[in-house]
Every structure is written in structure tokens, then in C-alpha cells.
Amino acid sequence: DFDREIKVVVLGNGGVGKTSMIRRFCKGIFTDEYKKTIGVDFLEKAQFVDALQEEVRFMLWDTAGQEEFDAITRTYYRGAGAAVIAFSTTDLDSFKAVLSWREKINAECGDIAMCLVQNKVDLIDRAVVTPEEVEALARQLGLKLYRTCVKENINVTEVFGYLAELHHKK
Ligand code: GDP
């Protein structure tokens, strides 16, 4: 069943936790010292989605450190059914870049399922944005906001479950 398979692209500036999120969701692990491979890579994970009452096969694509807009090739976006736009609690540039990531996804993929992810909420003491600023941006973009801590596995499964559900409704 084609509906049960979804390619998800995970986007955002370098260092926000994209590779960590994909590895956390697909492999259940978190490591600080993980060395990235060069070039686009993906991992797969079958996960039961409560909202759909069925198992969905997620194919998660990582930019593998090539976050420069033009370095990400068409292949990366091709066939994507959903996108995570991630920024870090401690990186203002990554927050400011959210709008351009959203525009890039729309240009490459059209109106696919998306959500906004604020990662590294364990570092809230060092936050460079207020909760209100983040909520205002999510509202302005019409995106559901998830606050995650990939390190402690908070809200990661929920992000992908939501995207599968939204994709299914579109
Ligand atoms: P990417 O460049 O967006 O793929 O980011 P990485 O996955 O390589 O993560 C960048 C750094 O942030 C790494 O040192 C990760 O271990 C760290 N990191 C990722 N998620 C979290 C988190 O939730 N909390 C904290 N404290 N660090 C994180």
C-alpha cells in the first residue's frame, strides 16, 4: 500500500540536530561524536502511527552536512511527502532561517505536510528566542510547533506521527 510509505526530508541550518533526530527515530540512539558521511543519505523506520491505526514506513533523508541551499540537490527533495523544519533553541541564525527553509521546500515540493521543530529544549537556560517568538512564527507560517529534545528522546516520535497523519489528510 503506497499510502503507508512516506519520504520525509529533515531541513534546517547545520548543527540544529537533524542527523541526531533521524538516528534517534530510526535507530533509537543518540551519540555526540557521530561522524557524518558526505553526501545525501537516508534511514528507514517502520512505526505504528496511532492516529492512522496502521504501520507507516518512514524514509528519512538527511542532508549530511550540505545545508547550503544550492548544495542540496533535486534528488534530495524528489518524492518527499513531508518535511521537518528544525531550528535550535541556542542558535538565533537557525531560527531566522526557518522562513527561507519553508520557501525552499514549497518551491521544490509544493504544499506538502510540514511542521516546525524547536530542538535542544534541554538547553532552555541558553535560549536565544522566547516561547512567544517561537509560537508567533509557527502561527505566522501556519505550522504546528513541536518542542523536542533529541538527546533525551522527547517528542521525536510525535513529530513523525503527526507528519504521517497530515500527509494522509492532504
Ligand atoms: P545537524 O547538523 O543539524 O545534522 O546536527 P547534528 O545532529 O549533527 O547535531 C549537532 C550537535 O547538536 C551534536 O553535537 C548533537 O549531539 C547535538 N544535539 C542534537 N540534538 C540535541 C539535543 O536535543 N540537545 C542537546 N543538548 N544537543 C543536541
Side-chain angles (χ1 to χ4, degrees):
D1 182 357
F2 185 75
D3 280 350
R4 292 183 195 170
E5 195 177 287
I6 181 172
K7 172 175 172 177
V8 182
V9 291
V10 181
L11 292 159
N13 285 10
V16 302
K18 301 183 298 297
T19 298
S20 301
M21 178 174 290
I22 291 169
R23 285 166 55 81
R24 167 61 89 191
F25 181 64
C26 294
K27 297 187 161 184
I29 52 170
F30 179 85
T31 43
D32 254 323
E33 307 84 17
Y34 174 65
K35 277 261 188 304
K36 291 182 188 191
T37 50
I38 300 302
V40 166
D41 207 357
F42 79 94
L43 287 175
E44 266 186 42
K45 164 86 175 175
Q47 171 82 38
F48 187 83
V49 175
D50 288 336
L52 300 177
Q53 282 297 299
E54 64 177 15
E55 192 172 84
V56 174
R57 203 154 65 89
F58 291 90
M59 279 156 299
L60 267 66
W61 286 58
D62 188 8
T63 56
Q66 315 230 318
E67 286 91 356
E68 291 290 318
F69 276 5
D70 301 324
I72 302 179
T73 62
R74 286 265 146 81
T75 313
Y76 178 76
Y77 292 100
R78 192 173 298 134
V84 172
I85 306 176
F87 70 95
S88 163
T89 300
T90 59
D91 179 352
L92 190 56
D93 283 343
S94 75
F95 179 70
K96 289 181 178 163
V98 164
L99 180 59
S100 39
W101 282 114
R102 150 68 176 265
E103 286 170 352
K104 180 74 175 169
I105 296 162
N106 282 142
E108 296 287 344
C109 307
D111 182 30
I112 60 172
M114 277 183 238
C115 70
L116 181 62
V117 168
Q118 174 175 12
N119 188 36
K120 308 195 191 184
V121 292
D122 56 308
L123 303 178
I124 205 76
D125 292 349
R126 287 164 44 196
V128 293
V129 283
T130 66
E132 293 73 25
E133 285 170 325
V134 176
E135 283 151 23
L137 180 65
R139 219 176 308 120
Q140 180 200 329
L141 298 180
L143 299 176
K144 180 156 177 166
L145 168 68
Y146 281 90
R147 293 188 168 101
T148 65
C149 174
V150 169
K151 188 174 184 177
E152 283 150 29
N153 201 17
I154 296 167
N155 251 352
V156 177
T157 309
E158 285 80 356
V159 166
F160 294 102
Y162 168 73
L163 288 175
E165 187 189 353
L166 191 58
H167 172 73
H168 187 80
K169 285 183 189 156
K170 277 194 181 266

